[in-house]
Amino acid sequence: MVTWGGIADDFTGATDLAGNWVARGLRTVVTLGVPDASDRAALADVDAVVVALKSRTAPADTAVGESLDALEALRGLGVEHIHQKYCSTFDSTATGNIGPVADALMAALGTELAVVVPSFPATGRTVYRGHLFVGDQLLSDSSMRHHPLTPMTRSDLPGLLGPQTAHRVAAIGLPVLRAGAERLRAELDRLRRPNDPVLVVVDAVDEDDLAVIARATADHPLVTGGSGLALGLPPAASAHEAMPVEPGHPLILAGSASTATRAQIAHARQAGTPARKLDIDALREDPGAAVARLVDEVTAHWAQAPDAPFLIHAVESAEDIRRETPEGARPAGELVEEALAECARRLTAAGARRLIVAGGETSGSVVQALGVRRLELGPPLAPGVSWAHGTAGDGRAYNLALKSGNFGATDIFTEGWRALG
């Protein structure tokens, strides 16, 4: 029976949450988009289902509508607990979409309180005194300050969330948490008021803190946060089958402009991985011809070294991020997503079956281009990153590692293949 359901605002976030549930012994499947009646039989014998949406930067009403559709589908599977999954760096604009979606889910579930827990200590994301840290930096001092879609220029979560929600926003500090689950539960009950919904930011700086929050909210119909909160659940007995490993060429598609991904690209190139950076000017002039040249280069490489990965990436340095779009021209981000999706289509037709994809938007575009509807999670690569197995409507099966731009060790593009055996 499906006990846990996740609603994730991007595809890498979905596999991030699913991977952490797998780490706690739950058999978990990701559906790429809202599951329909045809998916029910395949989901009947799993413990958790995560619905992957592309709603992080969508218009708020679109994000809310898709999230409510996901909730309805999950409740139809018998799900008892919902996890609204957003990025551990609280990626959002001044008006959403974290707050609007939380408000809508609370109303639909009839709950007047939900915790807000973006902490994921294993990746350096922690909350102390209501402020979100990335490593030893405040969020507002980290590289997220310059994110092209969701620049995070504040670190105080109540201040970030307040303009996004119609509800009260409260905070609970570490001293309450360290007094134990019963003390935290009592404080949450104190904040709960009839007809006055509240979102409660809860400090957490290590996994023991996450376990306290998980125990205190065990009977809550809704929690909101990053995937770290899933690691606070008690372990379940696991009886998972080994993930199938598909024979085929390895491919890396990196659309992320994050500092971590740029370092991973640099490491792969220095290690000798054949690579090609997308030529934005060529894509503007003739996208079909630019992609065709890339595909020819990659297939020529595989003809000589069929088991060696090839890396196609969008950004190499900070200068690439600052490059201005000419007046009247299409934004580089749109060109990148379309080009990488088309590369995925053509290169999987040429035999690619093992793909590492970096970036939430890129992952969504690639998986949709391949026509994969469900992913079952396999071995982890890094905190928040796991291999997965999925089959497309045309019968082709793939191993996919969908990586948030900021996640993964520097050598993930060169060493990540080892986890496949």
Side-chain angles (χ1 to χ4, degrees):
M1 176 180 174
V2 185
T3 300
W4 276 97
I7 301 172
D9 63 5
D10 78 349
F11 284 34
T12 57
T15 58
D16 174 11
L17 175 59
N20 282 353
W21 275 338
V22 168
R24 305 313 290 162
L26 302 180
R27 186 180 178 198
T28 306
V29 170
V30 174
T31 69
L32 306 169
V34 177
D36 57 27
S38 66
D39 294 309
R40 289 200 173 189
L43 301 175
D45 61 346
V46 303
D47 304 307
V49 175
V50 186
V51 180
L53 304 175
K54 286 190 71 176
S55 58
R56 180 171 297 171
T57 56
D61 57 349
T62 300
V64 166
E66 291 180 354
S67 299
L68 290 175
D69 289 344
L71 174 62
E72 182 179 0
L74 291 169
R75 295 174 86 177
L77 294 170
V79 167
E80 299 172 355
H81 305 286
I82 298 293
H83 186 134
Q84 178 196 349
K85 165 65 175 70
Y86 41 81
C87 189
S88 57
T89 45
F90 214 73
D91 297 24
S92 55
T93 67
T95 56
N97 288 330
I98 294 172
V101 170
D103 289 359
L105 294 177
M106 290 173 70
L109 290 165
T111 184
E112 294 182 328
L113 182 146
V115 295
V116 175
V117 187
S119 295
F120 191 175
T123 61
R125 279 64 162 166
T126 57
V127 177
Y128 180 66
R129 293 193 173 185
H131 285 69
L132 181 55
F133 287 80
V134 178
D136 59 0
Q137 291 183 310
L138 286 165
L139 174 64
S140 56
D141 294 331
S142 74
S143 60
M144 286 300 299
R145 182 179 185 87
H146 305 292
H147 193 284
L149 298 177
T150 53
M152 304 307 295
T153 58
R154 296 183 64 171
S155 305
D156 59 314
L157 292 177
L160 283 167
L161 188 56
Q164 298 186 26
T165 176
H167 300 338
R168 279 186 298 137
V169 179
I172 294 178
L174 206 60
V176 171
L177 203 69
R178 295 292 169 84
E182 290 306 313
R183 176 70 181 86
L184 175 57
R185 182 188 291 272
E187 184 64 12
L188 290 170
D189 288 343
R190 187 188 69 79
L191 290 169
R192 195 188 303 268
R193 301 174 191 164
N195 303 313
D196 187 15
V198 61
L199 289 161
V200 185
V201 175
V202 184
D203 282 2
V205 300
D206 60 32
E207 289 191 7
D208 289 341
D209 296 331
L210 298 177
V212 170
I213 298 169
R215 291 197 299 274
T217 60
D219 59 348
H220 288 204
L222 174 69
V223 296
T224 88
S227 68
L229 188 53
L231 294 175
L233 296 175
S238 176
H240 300 162
E241 297 178 0
M243 182 190 72
V245 176
E246 297 299 326
H249 304 309
L251 177 66
I252 309 161
L253 300 172
S256 171
S258 74
T259 301
T261 297
R262 297 202 311 271
Q264 291 156 355
I265 291 166
H267 179 275
R269 296 188 70 128
Q270 290 165 4
T273 301
R276 184 65 60 200
K277 178 183 168 187
L278 292 174
D279 185 333
I280 301 299
D281 292 334
L283 287 172
R284 284 202 173 101
E285 181 178 342
D286 188 339
V291 169
R293 287 193 294 271
L294 272 171
V295 169
D296 287 345
E297 182 175 358
V298 177
T299 52
H301 160 70
W302 283 334
Q304 300 298 318
D307 296 324
F310 195 103
L311 165 63
I312 301 174
H313 61 96
V315 173
E316 192 166 8
S317 67
E319 285 69 30
D320 294 325
I321 301 170
R322 291 191 288 266
R323 183 177 179 180
E324 294 185 1
T325 299
E327 186 176 355
R330 292 185 64 198
E334 293 181 8
L335 294 167
V336 165
E337 300 312 322
E338 290 179 8
L340 291 178
E342 185 60 22
C343 284
R345 274 190 288 266
R346 297 194 192 187
L347 291 170
T348 53
R353 293 294 181 270
R354 308 175 183 190
L355 289 78
I356 298 177
V357 187
E361 295 296 318
T362 304
S363 293
S365 297
V366 166
V367 172
Q368 289 175 337
L370 298 183
V372 174
R373 283 279 301 156
R374 291 189 299 271
L375 293 173
E376 185 153 0
L377 272 287
L381 291 179
V385 189
S386 296
W387 279 107
H389 183 267
T391 302
D394 60 8
R396 291 176 184 161
Y398 304 97
N399 294 120
L400 298 164
L402 308 180
K403 186 192 83 67
S404 170
N406 287 305
F407 282 8
T410 303
D411 62 358
I412 195 169
F413 292 159
T414 56
E415 300 302 314
W417 313 100
R418 296 180 185 275
L420 286 175

